[in-house]
């Protein structure tokens, strides 16, 4: 038995050091980056026994993804694609202060994972896991993956796993209308929905305070719990019976990429273990806050650190 | 025909990484840096067909300057000096947070450009350009260059080009009185004057609000337009008939060096094309703001980005 | 009029520093790399006025290619593809000492250039150039490019330009038989053929000494000249009337990638100017030898250095 | 005669670049770091002729400590321990933005200095110095060093040197009660006590404003002067007759490690020369503020810079 | 069931980049390095399911060791020591060309692993593994570890695992006589002995050709097989009945550290699977040769690459 | 009393990492480099108490020179020039494998040291030193320095110090005829002449074997000893009565710059102490050989290492 299985695409992120630009930099930092593997790493580091399932080319860049994830203790159950015809998706990340901001340039089309079928994936794992997680990015990547995502959620649901979906809308992959149509089709097999407030507005036409959105989504789609995150304003959740509200922790703006996934990983690390929702929300918020001080997409952190943030420990040097 | 010709010294800037100190660093980042070539690059990237004219030694450090400028699309029309007797000026830049601040140590005396004469420079270009630009640094570098700058401005004015001068006072090169005397001698051949408010005070004894200074300078010297910049408080301009005022855009403090030149490049990219002055001021301000997030002296940016700043687009990651 | 137009794909090369491995490195050095742009840069640096024609996405990685080539003085005449749907091909290069050797992993399929048609390319340039060059890689990249390459060679030939083709067989792109079939179809419009001895064997079934191969190819396909390179053993050439043989210069093994293209650039820099073939062969050999001491794919060097190698100047420090 | 002798442990500090983590970084920046050598360097750079006394292994890491200190002009009078059996203590420093903060992991037990006896140390120096300084870290490192520290303070006091002690409580080395007991035993031979307000509370059970603490300590232990520092709120001092209060200077948060030692070095650079206490406090505060913009533990700065901070010079670029 | 369990110390290796010196470098590359974990990684990468057993402090440097090993697929079964009182051993490696050579400075005394007892280690694993491996370094580290090593070998032998010992004499840890005494006491529980020829001479007083040494050791101590390695001259092996001899593969001198461990890992990857000894020797030799082109202590390589070396494939770029 | 005083120019050397080119590199490594300070550092590290005398601007780049030299234990007795008008000479070093070789581009004209007069220099030191050393570079730098060098040699000779001169001909500074004329004027005050064989040929018209040259120079100019170095072929020496010949030690070609100065430093470290000439030659040769494995201009090494080279110790890792 494992605690958590996640499925999705993981890419190599190529980012010029500091505030350098892609056009003029001579070196790129390389990070392993994928919404669902980010969740798996955060959850694993916070105590869940996690496995990441995907498809990668059997080449050095492909193996790099698995090597990095394994280093954090995540099990990787990968279908190995042909080294010459497959590819790992990449993305370029430019980081810049105000008013430039961060810029993402995807080069992910045709990645091996976009051809993954439910038949070749290790679906047996779904029988042995407490929870299954994916994000709205996955079905957006190819028609094949749209079907595969649906099949996996159905199989996990059927097997009794807690299923969770992070909406994670990506405007460079599809329109809000396309996303809404595909995702709502998946909702019957989803137990836990997580969404940014902004996505709830754009995709599902909701408005008003986040707490109302959470209630509406829970009511309309019958989720066990809906979590709506709103950045520095914290996160709310609604079950069929209750509502919860937790503030965000103060955090740097240095490394925001991946903090949303860290929230999910932190939340699931508690929720899957049966912790009360307010506690799960706090773990999500503290994990996300910590991530913002860690370069790369991945939450290199520990339970101790998360607890220290929740206790409001000062950041003075302890020596 | 080209749109813009600029003339001046370009140096190699040697700066320890991050906040390291010149005295103890083991590596220096190398950037190509010169007020007038900075203007040419910004203008070229924002749409003007630009040429930079200067004199450099025919050695690897000399060629480095031309190589870098060409990469941004600027044409380089360079008089090549003897590799052994000529030199490229350099300057050391130390970057430090408050209260240390940034420190500049010049090592520019004797650079090849200080020997440039109007006879050896490609003055034919002045017949074929819409605009000619230089800064108050150039005549400060040597007596020879004082004469050459005067000759070039006169020739450009004669040929019907729009001539612009950025006052750019450098206290390590001359006194305010020396600067004022030399520059006012150049003013009869200058159409567009750009100056920091601080320089207008120190050199020309002006006081009061920037807008009044602009009016006074335009009135006294007969400029087509005078632009007075005042950092975070924005910029003003005065023509013989009108006055304009534009705020600055919010910007990081990370890489301020070169933002003044970026303002000029942004302003000229519109002014030379005949755009209204308020629009040119806004382009100047947005280009300067963006530059502050880009390492080095040079504005590695695009028209799209400038327009996004002017539209006040959020700096959230677009993905 | 320009001296040389080249056409082909240029990629971003991602290589871990030193002998690090792709799987475990945290940073990749980024180089701009393409057989035909390598030729254009070498030729430009050695005196030919060169233009590189291709298709790139209008994105930071796409612009990076043009920015780098321009820095070396090459004109870039690029069709700009959509930033979101186009892509720049990349390849990973691992460098390792004996017995590991160097390893190349291509990630180039679907690059914008593979969709380039003769109609969108600036074919007018072919009317104004002394020479046109491409390599056997180009028609291997897509069916579309097979047709486009044929059309460009035909148009250049028709316009009276000297046309040259470097066989440059890539086993990861096609089989020898496929390559032979496509390339021989192009030969009627090729004036100068350059090939590695190994490719002459594998593709055209030739054997025996390189000099015989050169004669056979010239005789069979009617080339003005055929050049057969054999690495450290030098290069030979055959015209319909004469044969030539030149040794290689002693060279480091540090940075071999791109040295073949440097040979072509060095050869063409003389041949296009009408120099005798032995001189062109020597320039090719010296340029290739020098390239092997320069990191990256591109021959950052000068005519002076090439001449010094041909004169057998010692490598003692000159100071 | 020298102006200042300091005694204590100096370590190699290993810190991942930027905000990287020890667990995942591939490189560590190496800095030489020790409370008392930090004081010696700051004092030397601000004009005192300083000598650092300690014990190090005669190995490359041991010599690295002396090499670095000498570079700043500090004389090093070191007992050289066996290269194979001795060691240099190290510590790992992780730097992270809010909410992570900085983290210190000591690996200093068993360092050569912990075996230093008064007999092997160059105690003759104490006869020839105007001042002697150590910190509360030193007697915490080993029983041997507890005795050695007491002996040195007694000898220095006896020889007529001004003796100073910076409390510098380290919770990873001992408890407040242990520290208080050992340090108060040293107080009879201490002329100048410096302590953080927080340490005054934890170790000596004081409360109320810092100024009262300074008075109480001076009164109870008979110090010539007690200095109590309170970070951004400035520092206070009390002599038997007078009290002084000086604000802190605005400073970056970039490199706080070592700023406390810089305060001491700045203070002593004036106090030892007989300057009035308010002036010494200001020098301490300005030195500490400047240090916060300098990477590493060591105050790479000059008297000119300290004076500029005290004069409130702007941090605008001077060029 | 696992295929291989190894036990020993793993350190952090701190090495200045390139040929820099420890005394003057500002950065150290950090590598995870330990004879037995090196063996586990090589074996795992070549197909054996491997677990590394040890004791580490539960601190960032301690976790770094496990994180790195896990990334290569090795299971880590670690006793976690107290973060404050435990430590990870380190060593400094200086790399220099002739005549300087490489230099190792150990700082490993007092590491957490030196306190490991058989009671706290996961000895249950020995019941479930096909093979157990350690090296002569382990019992040299402390008296405690001398006992623990003996206990583990006895337990593994008892449980029916194939036990192997690499002599790996370290002159900085003990004398040849001490080593010989302790190791020969372990031999009754050792099935496979691996030793450098030089160690066989110094510790066991053998002379003559390596093949005779292998026979003598096998005969005297009753090993199933003795392997004697002799660097560039290859390796020999002797079973009670047969002798084998295999040459080394040509290899770079760039990264020799860890190549001996790679030999053992390559050898065991075959031997444990029941392959014939000549094949195991060849795998050992090819793995060691490849390692020499890989920075760090760890054999980042694959079975494919090992096979390519054994087939004598050229190191020409395959593209 | 000190053992050795040296006088000359020390520059900042700017070199692109590895084999990168000045024209395209983004970072330069910075090293402190000067013939006479190189000698002082080598001699100091090998046991002589050494002082380097020169003139530098009181600016960060100027102080960097002194900071680096002090770190190696050399005393720096520097006349501090005005920070704004003075400068530190620099040179660019490009390092390239065969056939490119290393290339030096000087930017040293106008350095502060070129204005140094004997009146401002600390000539009192010459009364208290056992030896004084300079090189033929110094009088080549300016007419002022030609006089100053002559004055210093005369004063040192007068004071009874052993005076030594390394010919060190630099073709970028003067012609052989100019050098010969100036240097022979200095010879009456020189006790020890060191020269490369190549310089002996070019400047003094000598031919034949090095040993004959040494004899001729000693005879003609009355030196106590003349040393003629011939790179990999070793070095010879002649006193009025005897001749000596010592081979070079095998050495890498990695970092040749500064190895000649290291020879001098190694030789003087023995000669000044009264060691026999063959021993001094061997120390020179071993120091030079070791230097070739150390990046930068400076011999970061120890007496132990020099002795190990002379004993022919293997370069196997000692661990």
């Amino acid at each position: 038995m494992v605690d958590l299985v996640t499925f999705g695409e993981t890419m190599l992120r190529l980012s010029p050091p500091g505030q350098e630009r892609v056009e003029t930099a001579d070196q790129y930092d390389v990070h392993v980056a994928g919404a669902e593997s980010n969740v798996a790493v955060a959850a694993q580091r916070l105590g869940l026994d996690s496995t990441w399932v995907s498809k990668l080319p059997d080449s050095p860049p492909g193996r790099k993804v698995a090597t990095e994830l394994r280093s954090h203790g995540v099990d990787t159950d990968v279908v190995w694609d042909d080294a010459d015809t497959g590819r790992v998706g990449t993305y370029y990340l430019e980081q810049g202060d105000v008013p430039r901001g961060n810029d993402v340039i995807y080069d992910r089309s045709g990645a091996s994972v976009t051809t993954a079928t439910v038949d070749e994936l290790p679906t047996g794992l779904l029988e042995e896991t407490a929870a299954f997680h994916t994000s709205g990015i996955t079905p957006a990547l190819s028609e094949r993956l749209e079907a595969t995502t649906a099949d996996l959620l159905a199989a996990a649901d059927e097997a009794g796993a807690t299923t969770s979906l992070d909406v994670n809308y990506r405007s460079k992959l599809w329109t809000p209308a396309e996303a809404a149509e595909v995702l709502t089709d998946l909702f019957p097999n989803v137990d836990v929905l997580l969404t940014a407030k902004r996505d709830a507005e754009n995709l599902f036409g909701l408005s008003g305070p986040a707490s109302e959105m959470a209630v509406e989504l829970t009511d309309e789609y019958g989720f066990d719990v809906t979590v709506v995150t709103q950045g520095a304003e914290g996160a709310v959740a609604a079950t069929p019976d209750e509502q919860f509200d937790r503030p965000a922790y103060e955090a740097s703006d240095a490394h925001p990429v991946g903090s949303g996934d860290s929230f999910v990983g932190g939340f699931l690390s508690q929720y899957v273990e049966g912790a009360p929702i307010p506690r799960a929300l706090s773990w999500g918020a503290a994990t996300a806050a910590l991530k913002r001080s860690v370069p790369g997409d991945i939450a290199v952190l520990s339970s101790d650190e998360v607890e220290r943030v929740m206790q409001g420990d000062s950041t003075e040097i302890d020596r």
Side-chain angles (χ1 to χ4, degrees), chain A:
Chain A
M1 283 296 292
V2 295
D3 298 320
L4 177 65
V5 169
T6 76
F7 171 70
E9 178 180 24
T10 297
M11 301 178 280
L12 297 188
R13 158 182 145 184
L14 303 168
S15 39
Q19 301 199 40
E20 298 284 339
R21 306 223 61 172
V22 163
E23 187 182 329
T24 47
D26 277 359
Q27 281 200 317
Y28 295 155
D29 296 327
V30 197
H31 290 278
V32 164
E36 296 83 5
S37 56
N38 290 349
V39 169
V41 169
Q44 173 81 31
R45 283 187 157 268
L46 300 179
L48 293 194
D49 194 8
S50 305
T51 297
W52 175 74
V53 169
S54 195
K55 187 172 181 179
L56 289 169
D58 189 14
S59 63
R63 289 194 295 269
K64 181 179 192 61
V65 171
T67 296
E68 172 73 17
L69 298 180
R70 271 196 315 254
S71 78
H72 301 284
V74 170
D75 243 310
T76 55
D77 206 328
V78 169
V79 180
W80 292 105
D81 196 9
D82 183 86
D84 288 332
T85 58
R87 71 177 295 249
V88 184
T90 60
Y91 83 93
Y92 300 86
L93 174 70
E94 274 193 338
Q95 301 164 98
D97 276 355
V98 171
R100 182 150 59 92
N102 293 340
D103 190 24
V104 160
I105 302 111
Y106 285 137
D107 180 13
R108 67 200 299 183
S109 87
S112 291
V113 71
T114 62
T115 67
T117 65
V118 75
D119 293 337
E120 64 188 344
L121 292 170
T123 44
L125 268 172
L126 301 178
E127 311 277 338
E128 301 166 21
T129 184
F132 173 79
H133 175 80
T134 190
S135 88
I137 295 170
T138 315
L141 295 173
S142 69
E143 280 184 42
R144 169 64 50 85
L145 275 187
E146 187 184 327
T148 302
T149 308
D151 291 348
L152 290 173
L153 277 169
D157 202 22
E158 168 89 6
T162 297
T163 57
S164 60
L165 180 79
D166 182 7
V167 167
N168 237 342
Y169 174 65
R170 292 287 181 265
S171 66
K172 293 191 174 178
L173 296 179
W174 53 3
T175 64
E178 289 166 345
E181 187 185 337
V182 167
L183 296 183
T184 49
D185 280 356
L186 300 176
F187 284 177
N189 288 319
V190 170
D191 299 323
V192 179
L193 186 81
L194 304 110
T195 180
K197 189 185 177 206
R198 187 187 49 229
D199 291 349
E201 292 164 357
N202 290 343
L203 270 63
F204 309 117
L206 301 180
S207 59
S211 55
E212 283 180 22
M213 292 179 180
V215 170
E216 284 185 59
L217 287 164
T218 296
D219 286 353
E220 178 157 359
Y221 299 105
F223 300 123
D224 291 353
V225 61
T226 303
V227 176
V228 181
T229 59
Q230 36 188 352
E233 289 161 62
V236 302
T239 65
D241 306 317
E242 287 181 289
Q243 299 172 40
F244 311 93
D245 195 333
R246 278 290 171 283
Y249 295 96
E250 192 198 344
S252 152
D253 218 35
H255 302 287
V257 180
S259 61
D261 304 325
S262 297
F263 180 95
V264 177
F267 178 86
L268 291 179
S269 76
Q270 295 299 309
Y271 184 82
V272 170
E273 297 284 29
I277 285 173
R279 180 173 166 81
L281 287 174
S282 290
W283 274 70
T287 308
L290 274 167
K291 166 62 195 70
R292 298 175 81 89
S293 73
V294 179
D297 272 56
I298 282 180
V300 184
L301 43 73
S302 68
S303 297
D304 282 0
E305 291 174 321
V306 171
E307 284 174 345
R308 229 174 295 141
V309 169
M310 289 189 297
Q311 289 155 16
D313 273 14
S314 90
T315 56
E316 266 198 22
I317 307 175
D318 178 27
R319 56 185 175 178

